[in-house]
Amino acid sequence: MKETKVIELEEVAIRFSGDSGDGMQLTGTLFSDATALLGNDISTFPDYPSEIRAPQGTVGGVSGFQVQFGHKQINTPGDYAHVLVAMNPAAVKANARFMMRGGTIIYDSDAFNEKNLAKANFKTDDPFGELGLEDYPKIAVPITSLTQEGLKEFGLDNKSILRSKNMFALGLVCWMFNRPLEFVDEFIRSKFKKKPVVVESNIKVLHDGYNYGMNMQHMTPTYLVHPAEIENGTYRNVNGNQATAWGLLAAAERAGLELFLGSYPITPATDILSALSERKDLGVKTFQAEDEIAGIASAIGAAFAGDLAVTTTSGPGLALKSEAIGLAVMAELPLVIVNVQRGGPSTGLPTKTEQSDLLQALYGRNGESPVVVLAASTPSDCFYYAYMASKIALERMVPVILLTDGFLGNGSEPWKIPSVAELPSITPRLAKDAEVFQPYKRDEKTLAREWAFPGMKGFEHRIGGLEKNVTGTVSHDPENHQVNTEIREEKVQRVVELVPDLEVCGDEEGEVLVVGWGGTYGHLISTVRQLRLEGKDVSMAHFNYIKPLPKNTKEVFSRFKKIIVCELNMGQFAGYLRDKMPGFNYYQANKVKGLPFTVSELKESVNKLLED
């Protein structure tokens, strides 16, 4: 027998792909979790269609999951995959453009029949030739028939047997990349513990795939990726929606308040509602409303009643919530609105990522209706910015919109679990002295009013959407409205005291400053690192605080000759900067394909700017 060739890599990207019903998301998630447990740094990108069940075998029904892991710091799921695991011809067709030149394709040879080739609209019986993949190493594995053979003694129907194909593929890839099976075994036993036959059949197929890899050593190399060097601590793999939910939980605990979430299910934000609904043990109250408006209305009621109140949504839902956000602005109640952005407009691309809700978050309400706007950068720091959104809302008596996106919400990475002592304190602005209480009397420094809610004797007051004077009496006085409008805006601007200075990654001054915000961080920092290694005069500034902007923003911008703003929209942040930070020439790199940036396309944009 030939000796197995072992290839040592600094980083590697794998893409699992098949029909929506082939379990590719679960396969990718389990492989990612096992990889994180081994100490590799990882970044993932689930990519699936919006149709619940698109026609089987078609390109439109392909579901994918890409994970990049490595020995060094990993900030993106990778531009291109070193290895593609394809369960049918449509998966190859949909993912050919995401393959690294010379990458390996592992495919279920049983699925590459005339019927499936026709469903994927191939013109010949040579799909790899049609796609220009002749020079790519290909490993044909009869996954379907091997799964059927392995489970023939289990008494399962064929449909149930075929549901286990993904476990065979997972076992094979675990062998190739030296991932132990113990974690996957444990997951299967836990998830299906009430169905022993499902447990045993899936574990059998998983180990069959692993053993098949051992027996085909002469056909494919194995890959060795050493653990990353990371600081000591307790880590777990987390996606952005989980991290957001936990950040809200931590904020409620730190503030000494009960957490209320009023939301309507919407892709890709629903997992936050699901995660929090499971934490009744921590006193969390969740309400799945009949629509988006009822969701935020219930949250405003909870804020009035003294809870840390949250509502979650995506772009179309944020539009429906706009009038109620205006009510929270006028009533000056603490409210956190989480918007997990997706492709638009309208229902658009529900399962794809985009950053095109920025202007809606900033301006999408009637009247002068200012709110604080934050944006998370990575899946794990959704925890921190959910926490900070809560702190700002509770201490400054103001609605806060937290922007994440589908890439962050569904993507995952290792997260170092912080201790409570590491988190900043949260001190809600509770009313204390009934004798001098006035509903709209303000703290001189922050302009925040006091928070009084039902049950607090002596603090009864009127509240609602009509303009009030300092005593809480409805007022139509023009001077009062002018003053209050200015105060509400100034109150948001004074939140800048809680905003850290904008940091520059790279040299503090130079030729080109790459600017981004929110979920583009990983691709931008990877781009700047690579360009700097090539000797290019490039630095980066990334924004998490959108309104208000960090107070040193103008100073940072003034130290660079050229500024390029990179965002997954047509230029919304660039336009906002032109308004708020005039006097600079802002170049743009924009993408609206429902996909994250790639490092290669960002490098191309920055290099062009350097050459010009």
Side-chain angles (χ1 to χ4, degrees), residues 504-568:
V504 176
C505 299
D507 297 328
E508 293 293 322
E509 59 182 47
E511 188 70 25
V512 172
L513 181 68
V514 175
V515 169
W517 66 275
T520 57
Y521 171 82
H523 293 87
L524 294 185
I525 191 66
S526 299
T527 299
V528 170
R529 280 197 194 115
Q530 288 190 22
L531 288 170
R532 290 180 61 80
L533 285 172
E534 295 169 11
K536 305 293 175 63
D537 188 1
V538 179
S539 299
M540 185 185 90
H542 202 79
F543 287 81
N544 298 108
Y545 294 87
I546 309 295
K547 182 168 183 175
L549 291 165
K551 51 184 175 290
N552 68 328
T553 300
K554 186 174 182 180
E555 177 195 344
V556 169
F557 284 5
S558 67
R559 299 199 296 262
F560 293 86
K561 295 176 183 176
K562 295 179 180 179
I563 298 169
I564 181 168
V565 184
C566 310
E567 47 187 329
L568 300 177

Side-chain angles (χ1 to χ4, degrees), residues 141-332:
V141 182
I143 294 175
T144 298
S145 55
L146 287 172
T147 301
Q148 291 170 326
E149 177 68 22
L151 297 182
K152 64 182 181 181
E153 306 296 334
F154 279 76
L156 296 168
D157 61 87
N158 194 51
K159 188 176 181 180
S160 298
I161 288 173
L162 295 182
R163 285 201 192 105
S164 300
K165 287 191 303 180
N166 61 326
M167 289 296 113
F168 190 99
L170 178 58
L172 174 56
V173 176
C174 282
W175 176 82
M176 288 181 65
F177 289 92
N178 290 282
R179 309 289 103 174
L181 298 183
E182 287 81 5
F183 169 79
V184 186
D185 285 348
E186 185 181 328
F187 173 86
I188 293 170
R189 293 188 193 281
S190 173
K191 184 173 179 63
F192 302 110
K193 57 187 175 185
K194 295 182 180 178
K195 300 177 180 178
V197 68
V198 175
V199 170
E200 296 308 318
S201 60
N202 276 280
I203 288 177
K204 168 73 163 55
V205 174
L206 175 73
H207 285 260
D208 283 352
Y210 191 93
N211 293 332
Y212 184 86
M214 293 182 69
N215 292 329
M216 59 180 282
Q217 294 178 23
H218 63 287
M219 295 173 59
T220 181
T222 63
Y223 298 87
L224 184 61
V225 183
H226 292 290
E229 295 178 6
I230 56 176
E231 62 177 297
N232 291 334
T234 303
Y235 288 80
R236 67 156 294 156
N237 200 29
V238 67
N239 67 38
N241 283 336
Q242 289 173 323
T244 299
W246 296 341
L248 297 169
L249 282 168
E253 177 71 21
R254 197 82 155 109
L257 299 174
E258 291 188 339
L259 175 61
F260 177 91
L261 176 69
S263 289
Y264 178 74
I266 184 172
T267 302
T270 305
D271 285 345
I272 303 173
L273 172 60
S274 300
L276 288 177
S277 68
E278 297 172 354
R279 300 323 305 253
K280 293 181 178 66
D281 59 317
L282 298 177
V284 178
K285 293 169 285 188
T286 55
F287 171 54
Q288 181 174 318
E290 67 268 26
D291 56 37
E292 294 283 2
I293 298 170
I296 189 171
S298 67
I300 291 173
F304 174 63
D307 283 357
L308 169 53
V310 184
T311 188
T312 54
T313 191
S314 191
L318 187 65
L320 289 167
K321 294 180 191 292
S322 60
E323 182 182 1
I325 296 173
L327 170 59
V329 170
M330 183 63 90
E332 300 190 43

Side-chain angles (χ1 to χ4, degrees), residues 30-142:
L30 289 173
F31 183 85
S32 302
D33 288 349
T35 295
L37 281 170
L38 279 182
N40 292 119
D41 200 9
I42 69 167
S43 177
T44 71
F45 175 47
D47 184 21
Y48 46 90
S50 57
E51 294 88 350
I52 292 173
R53 195 69 175 91
Q56 195 170 13
T58 64
V59 174
V62 170
S63 177
F65 187 106
Q66 184 158 316
V67 54
Q68 181 167 225
F69 59 99
H71 172 59
K72 59 183 183 179
Q73 187 176 13
I74 300 295
N75 294 104
T76 78
D79 286 4
Y80 304 105
H82 295 80
V83 175
L84 171 66
V85 179
M87 303 300 280
N88 60 18
V92 175
K93 191 165 198 175
N95 293 290
R97 59 188 173 133
F98 299 122
M99 284 295 297
M100 182 173 288
R101 187 71 188 166
T104 300
I105 302 171
I106 302 170
Y107 65 97
D108 181 2
S109 55
D110 291 329
F112 280 65
N113 53 42
E114 186 177 343
K115 180 181 176 183
N116 285 335
L117 289 170
K119 283 182 178 179
N121 290 322
F122 282 106
K123 307 301 181 189
T124 69
D125 60 0
D126 180 15
F128 301 107
E130 281 191 45
L131 296 171
L133 301 174
E134 297 96 333
D135 297 334
Y136 289 63
K138 290 172 281 291
I139 303 171
V141 182

